[in-house]
């Protein structure tokens, strides 16, 4: 069944109001019409199986048939991603969302190029939402505004902080604990990597430099690889896929 994110206030109401942007997508992309059923989500874990009862020019309505909530695995993965060039951040957000990353912080570092924040932010939000819809996540990951490396390092409070560092770091197995941490922050460099000063600064802020082996991976590949390993060891990559009673 098709899924679609709507604002929390809209999902909580009866009937559920379908606003212009939502309507456009339901009509032209998903080809839904009055009488069709779908799953509406608020991005915070509340879901509703609903039937479309009206599709006007600017507004539509959906009647709730069943409401329930779903929780994601509690592991909080926070990806601090050195901004890559061009459109690659979009790939990072899309695949990171599929891999269950709960928070993204795009990072400006010495070797990244500045991007125009406003225009990108709206597009990035859309990409995260579309990826969450497609992979059936009940909750939307949060996307911070781009931040400087120093600011991000200072703010990070996760009990386990990792920095992917291709120079002078230790294998992952030497730093990963047996007990699942509640949250893990992991820092990935842009195409040019981090400078030695930046790597030292990250270590001063408690980030452990770790290696992913002898091959130098592209920035986006490195983040996905670590996200998948962490999700497998401590998260839900090794669990059964379908919550039994929910409509699909
Ligand atoms: N500085 C490097 C250079 O230009 O030769 C390459 C940087 S790499 C393309 C981009 C980022 O991916 C790095 O900053 C690091 O965070 C991560 N990375 C890639 N391969 C890695 C590996 N084998 N071990 C740890 N981190 C890696």
């Amino acid at each position: 069944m098709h899924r679609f994110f709507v604002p929390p206030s809209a999902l909580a109401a009866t009937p559920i109001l379908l606003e212009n942007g939502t309507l456009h997508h339901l009509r032209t992309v998903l080809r839904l019409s009055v009488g069709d059923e779908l799953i509406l989500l608020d991005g915070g874990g509340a879901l509703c199986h609903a039937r479309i009862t009206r599709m006007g020019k600017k507004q539509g309505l959906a009647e709730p048939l069943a409401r329930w909530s779903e929780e994601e695995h509690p592991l909080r993965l926070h990806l601090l991603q050195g901004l890559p060039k061009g459109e690659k951040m979009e790939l990072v957000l899309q695949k990171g969302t599929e891999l269950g990353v709960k928070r993204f912080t795009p990072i400006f570092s010495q070797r990244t190029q500045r991007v125009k924040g406003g225009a990108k932010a709206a597009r990035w939000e859309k990409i995260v939402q579309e990826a969450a819809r497609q992979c059936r996540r009940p909750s939307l990951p949060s996307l911070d505004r781009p931040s400087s490396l120093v600011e991000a390092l200072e703010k990070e409070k996760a009990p386990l902080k990792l920095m992917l560092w291709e120079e002078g770091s230790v294998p992952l197995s030497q730093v990963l604990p047996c007990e699942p941490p509640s949250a893990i922050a992991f820092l990935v460099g842009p195409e040019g990597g981090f400078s030695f000063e930046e790597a030292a600064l990250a270590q001063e802020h408690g980030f452990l430099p770790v290696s992913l082996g002898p091959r130098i991976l592209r920035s986006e590949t490195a983040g996905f690889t670590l996200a998948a390993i962490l999700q497998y060891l401590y998260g839900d990559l090794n669990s059964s896929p379908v919550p039994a009673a929910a409509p699909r």
Side-chain angles (χ1 to χ4, degrees), residues 111 164-166 187-194 210-219 222:
R111 297 176 186 162
L164 283 181
W165 173 238
E166 62 282 10
L187 179 59
V188 183
E191 283 93 345
F194 290 119
V210 288
S211 160
L212 287 178
R215 290 174 295 281
I216 301 298
L217 308 176
R218 286 186 186 264
S219 177

Side-chain angles (χ1 to χ4, degrees), residues 1 6 23 36 48 63 67-68 79 101 124 134 136 150 177 184 195 208 210-211 213 224 226 241:
M1 198 176 304
V6 293
L23 265 187
D36 285 336
C48 180
E63 171 200 3
R67 293 181 185 274
W68 72 101
L79 169 55
V101 170
W124 287 350
Q134 178 274 328
R136 302 187 185 168
V150 184
I184 306 172
S195 67
L208 307 170
V210 288
S211 160
F224 303 152
L226 185 55

Side-chain angles (χ1 to χ4, degrees), residues 28-223:
T28 58
V29 182
L30 303 180
R31 307 241 166 237
L32 295 179
S33 52
V34 169
D36 285 336
E37 295 179 13
L38 77 171
I39 296 174
L40 297 169
L41 304 94
D42 74 348
L47 293 88
C48 180
H49 175 201
R51 182 183 297 119
I52 300 172
T53 52
R54 182 167 181 271
M55 275 188 137
K57 273 199 175 143
K58 292 195 173 153
Q59 277 189 349
L61 294 173
E63 171 200 3
L65 301 174
R67 293 181 185 274
W68 72 101
S69 59
E70 284 178 17
E71 278 182 22
E72 296 200 317
H73 189 281
L75 176 67
R76 281 177 283 127
L77 288 184
H78 180 190
L79 169 55
L80 300 103
Q81 171 70 51
L83 269 164
K85 284 185 203 141
E87 314 299 301
K88 282 192 189 151
M89 189 63 201
E90 298 182 6
L91 189 69
V92 168
L93 294 171
Q94 185 190 58
K95 302 299 172 208
T97 299
E98 288 175 39
L99 287 164
V101 170
K102 289 218 169 76
R103 181 176 167 200
F104 297 93
T105 307
I107 301 287
F108 291 123
S109 60
Q110 287 176 13
R111 297 176 186 162
T112 51
Q113 294 168 347
R114 291 257 155 189
V115 289
K116 284 188 210 113
K120 292 267 182 199
R123 177 155 173 76
W124 287 350
E125 291 281 357
K126 236 176 155 180
I127 286 166
V128 166
Q129 208 175 95
E130 177 52 23
R133 190 189 71 73
Q134 178 274 328
C135 74
R136 302 187 185 168
R137 275 183 79 162
S139 302
L140 285 171
S142 61
L143 173 57
D144 297 340
R145 61 175 176 75
S147 144
S148 71
L149 178 65
V150 184
E151 189 191 348
L153 294 176
E154 283 171 355
K155 279 191 187 158
E156 187 53 58
K157 298 284 183 281
L160 180 62
K161 300 187 261 193
L162 305 173
M163 169 180 51
L164 283 181
W165 173 238
E166 62 282 10
E167 321 220 18
S169 48
V170 298
L172 257 183
S173 58
Q174 284 187 25
V175 302
L176 293 183
C178 296
E179 282 302 306
S182 55
I184 306 172
F186 58 112
L187 179 59
V188 183
E191 283 93 345
F194 290 119
S195 67
F196 277 92
E197 303 86 74
E198 288 175 324
L201 189 69
Q203 288 177 71
E204 279 168 31
H205 285 83
F207 280 75
L208 307 170
V210 288
S211 160
L212 287 178
R215 290 174 295 281
I216 301 298
L217 308 176
R218 286 186 186 264
S219 177
E220 60 278 21
T221 315

